[in-house]
Amino acid sequence: MSDPPTLEEESAALDGYFSDTPLNPQPNYPVLRETFETAVLIANLPKAPASKVEKLTTVVKRLVSKIGALATTDLFSGVQMPTDSTTGATRGFAFIEYTTAADAKQAVDSLNNFAFDKNHNLKALPYLRAIELANLEETEFKEPEPAPFIEKPDTTTWLQDPSQRDAFVIRNASGQTHETVVYWSDGKHEPAVDYDGRREKESGQPWCSFYVQWSSSGAYLATMIPSKGVVLWGGANYEKLGKFRAPGVEVVNFSPNEKFFLTSNNNRNDPEAVKIFSIETGKLLRAFPLFPKNFFPDDMTTQEKSQIPPPLFQWSYDDKYVARMGKDLISIYDMSTMKLLDSRSLVADNIREFQFSPNANILAYWAPELKNSPAHVDLIELPSRKKLRQKNLFNVTKCSMVWQNEGTYLGVKVTRHTKSKKTLFNNLELFRIEDQGIPVEMLDIKDAVMAFAWEPNGSRFAMIHAENPTSTKVDVSFYDMKKVTTVTKNKKTETNISNEVNLVE
């Protein structure tokens, strides 16, 4: 056997394999996050056995990633679900980390009370809040002192006016001076000033610097100060009832029962352009962008987008819901939580318009023809989403829906076209909402219908029609839903002819 190589011989054999460059290893650490504002704690998850941990993790990750991008690394998926060290089962909660604080806040808003399954409603809170709760010292509970009672102004005093007068408001400008004055009027005498902001003028405070708006039943008067927001006034002396921050406000819209109102600044670039407030608490309940997500087609230009008005929010008759139309859907929000009803929007392919019934939680919408599907008008019951009635329509150019103010009837003016699409004609589809099966009657109209309206609290309706839309000679026809003899033969009760009528109210 030969002798083993010496150290010098081994070094000579390895000559050239090593570099003379000095080593300077740099660790590849993930980005250090100095705050926990991007982290969320999700509690009340199912406690899954070890065999189902991976499946549960996948489901949770798919759910939370719909809200925003998770902060992932080579060693972290963005979701950490602690397990029992003995059994390997999950412990019913998980930590989620997003890339931005805004997504984390949205996750808390969206996932709190979210129905994960029939037995588990999730609880979501910021990680920092969870730390605060964990560090609370256990002490004897002391009931907090109730806030002193402050009697609020009676916002119905105007109904107690002994002269039974109505109130109206006028805004006018003289040079740089703008005046907003509320008047009493009985229709017999000169209007009398009720309030003109004298109290605010004396103290140097703004009374109103923009538009004003009465609430639905007249309990509140909203004045707008674009630089700040909205101020609500009410009571016999028009006391200030609340200030609501909404910079740039241009529009105020009250709910029917005056529990809520929304503001809009019409800013297409503001993610909080539309704000919804509670009148009782004065709190901002939720904010929305002017347009829903994915509202515009991908191939639409900026100029084309600027020509499209934003879809309006609409209230249900009882203030339980507020809804807005999106692309192929209607987003319905439960006002008790300000979250989507059943955590999902109502699918409505190719929808063009929707309206709430004025007397029931029924939603009506229409959609034009799409591929091989005809145009249709649908009636949907809430909150069950049950389809009460669908009426298919053919060769439709446009529909206009008008509810009778008691919700007993729904009239739909349908503009149809011939196969060549060169000639347009109208007919009315009349829904009897309270009858079994909601029957629909069709009234053929040979003329062009320019306007259609129901009488207040009754079964009659009127329409303005003429041989063509540009005609100077028009007819005003009245019909009664209680005097219909057949589906297509409504008994006309009266016909007047006028050369100037172009609106029915």
Side-chain angles (χ1 to χ4, degrees):
M1 294 180 62
S2 61
D3 295 331
T6 64
L7 183 60
E8 291 76 7
E9 291 173 339
E10 288 183 346
S11 297
L14 294 175
D15 186 31
Y17 281 90
F18 299 101
S19 172
D20 293 332
T21 304
L23 296 178
N24 185 24
Q26 296 293 327
N28 184 22
Y29 295 128
V31 177
L32 177 63
R33 298 182 182 273
E34 298 181 358
T35 68
F36 292 100
E37 61 183 4
T38 59
V40 176
L41 172 66
I42 305 295
N44 205 32
L45 285 165
K47 295 183 178 180
S51 60
K52 295 185 178 180
V53 170
E54 183 178 354
K55 181 177 181 180
L56 178 60
T57 303
T58 301
V59 173
V60 171
K61 184 177 180 181
R62 185 165 59 245
L63 173 65
V64 299
S65 61
K66 291 180 180 179
I67 298 173
L70 300 179
T72 59
T73 66
D74 293 340
L75 301 177
F76 180 55
S77 67
V79 177
Q80 177 65 38
M81 193 174 300
T83 57
D84 187 279
S85 58
T86 303
T87 64
T90 61
R91 303 180 66 181
F93 63 94
F95 299 102
I96 316 297
E97 186 170 5
Y98 290 93
T99 57
T100 67
D103 286 341
K105 182 179 183 301
Q106 181 63 38
V108 172
D109 294 339
S110 301
L111 297 179
N112 195 41
N113 294 321
F114 177 81
F116 188 79
D117 58 32
K118 64 180 181 180
N119 297 320
H120 297 86
N121 286 342
L122 302 183
K123 297 297 180 182
L125 67 160
Y127 179 77
L128 290 175
R129 177 58 179 161
I131 295 298
E132 292 177 3
L133 295 176
N135 293 333
L136 284 178
E137 295 183 4
E138 294 187 9
T139 58
E140 183 179 352
F141 173 74
K142 293 183 179 179
E143 185 175 353
E145 291 290 331
F149 173 74
I150 301 176
E151 186 174 1
K152 295 182 178 180
D154 183 0
T155 58
T156 64
T157 52
W158 63 278
L159 293 172
Q160 304 167 27
D161 178 51
S163 301
Q164 300 180 358
R165 296 172 296 177
D166 289 325
F168 67 93
V169 60
I170 289 181
R171 239 183 96 67
N172 62 82
S174 177
Q176 298 298 319
T177 304
H178 294 260
E179 294 289 342
T180 302
V181 184
V182 181
Y183 292 91
W184 284 117
S185 175
D186 60 5
K188 300 177 182 178
H189 306 87
E190 286 293 318
V193 174
D194 187 17
Y195 191 68
D196 59 0
R198 68 185 77 90
R199 183 175 58 244
E200 286 67 38
K201 294 176 183 177
E202 292 173 357
S203 61
Q205 299 295 322
W207 154 237
C208 180
S209 59
F210 201 56
Y211 294 114
V212 296
Q213 177 70 49
W214 290 107
S215 61
S216 308
S217 298
Y220 305 100
L221 178 66
T223 61
M224 302 178 216
I225 305 174
S227 62
K228 297 180 179 180
V230 176
V231 182
L232 291 189
W233 311 83
N237 298 316
Y238 286 87
E239 298 177 48
K240 185 184 295 184
L241 304 180
K243 296 188 294 184
F244 303 81
R245 180 170 173 75
V249 59
E250 294 184 2
V251 177
V252 172
N253 183 4
F254 286 87
S255 64
N257 293 319
E258 301 177 324
K259 295 180 181 179
F260 315 99
F261 74 93
L262 65 80
T263 67
S264 174
N265 60 20
N266 287 324
N267 186 343
R268 295 174 178 243
N269 299 316
D270 185 356
E272 296 187 347
V274 179
K275 295 181 176 181
I276 297 181
F277 295 91
S278 166
I279 294 178
E280 181 178 6
T281 66
K283 292 183 178 180
L284 172 64
L285 301 180
R286 186 161 179 175
F288 301 86
L290 200 60
F291 289 89
K293 188 177 181 180
N294 300 323
F295 184 77
F296 298 108
D298 295 335
D299 58 350
M300 184 172 286
T301 66
T302 302
Q303 178 64 25
E304 291 172 331
K305 292 179 182 179
S306 67
Q307 303 301 314
I308 297 179
L312 300 179
F313 280 92
Q314 297 188 39
W315 303 97
S316 65
Y317 83 104
D318 56 1
D319 288 9
K320 282 188 175 181
Y321 309 107
V322 66
R324 178 168 69 168
M325 182 178 70
K327 183 181 179 182
D328 299 329
L329 55 83
I330 304 172
S331 296
I332 307 165
Y333 297 90
D334 187 331
M335 291 304 302
S336 63
T337 62
M338 279 313 304
K339 298 181 184 296
L340 278 173
L341 181 64
D342 296 334
S343 302
R344 56 193 173 93
S345 295
L346 176 69
V347 177
D349 291 337
N350 211 26
I351 180 174
R352 290 294 181 269
E353 180 192 4
F354 82 94
Q355 292 182 18
F356 276 109
S357 164
N359 198 35
N361 281 320
I362 297 176
L363 186 148
Y365 77 89
W366 81 273
E369 299 175 21
L370 179 65
K371 297 181 180 179
N372 295 325
S373 300
H376 54 94
V377 177
D378 290 26
L379 296 175
I380 307 296
E381 181 186 58
L382 297 178
S384 67
R385 300 174 184 249
K386 178 182 177 183
K387 184 178 291 187
L388 302 177
R389 187 68 160 90
Q390 177 173 307
K391 173 66 175 179
N392 291 334
L393 305 168
F394 299 89
N395 300 327
V396 173
T397 300
K398 184 181 179 181
C399 289
S400 298
M401 300 186 296
V402 183
W403 280 97
Q404 184 251 12
N405 66 349
E406 294 177 321
T408 306
Y409 309 106
L410 171 66
V412 181
K413 186 188 81 170
V414 184
T415 302
R416 299 178 184 267
H417 55 258
T418 58
K419 290 185 178 180
S420 64
K421 297 186 178 181
K422 294 182 178 180
T423 303
L424 300 178
F425 59 97
N426 294 118
N427 72 270
L428 298 180
E429 302 287 343
L430 304 168
F431 292 72
R432 296 179 178 271
I433 305 299
E434 296 181 350
D435 290 6
Q436 185 175 4
I438 310 183
V440 183
E441 300 172 11
M442 183 178 70
L443 177 62
D444 277 322
I445 310 296
K446 295 181 180 180
D447 291 348
V449 178
M450 282 88 83
F452 167 75
W454 296 94
E455 70 172 340
N457 307 317
S459 61
R460 295 180 298 180
F461 63 89
M463 60 182 174
I464 301 173
H465 55 100
E467 291 185 2
N468 62 75
T470 60
S471 176
T472 57
K473 182 179 180 180
V474 299
D475 291 343
V476 181
S477 297
F478 297 82
Y479 294 84
D480 193 334
M481 291 293 290
K482 292 183 178 179
K483 297 181 179 179
V484 175
T485 55
T486 68
V487 171
T488 58
K489 294 182 180 180
N490 290 37
K491 183 177 180 180
K492 187 182 297 185
T493 60
E494 183 181 358
T495 299
N496 294 330
I497 297 178
S498 169
N499 292 330
E500 298 180 356
V501 176
N502 56 20
L503 177 65
V504 173
E505 292 185 343

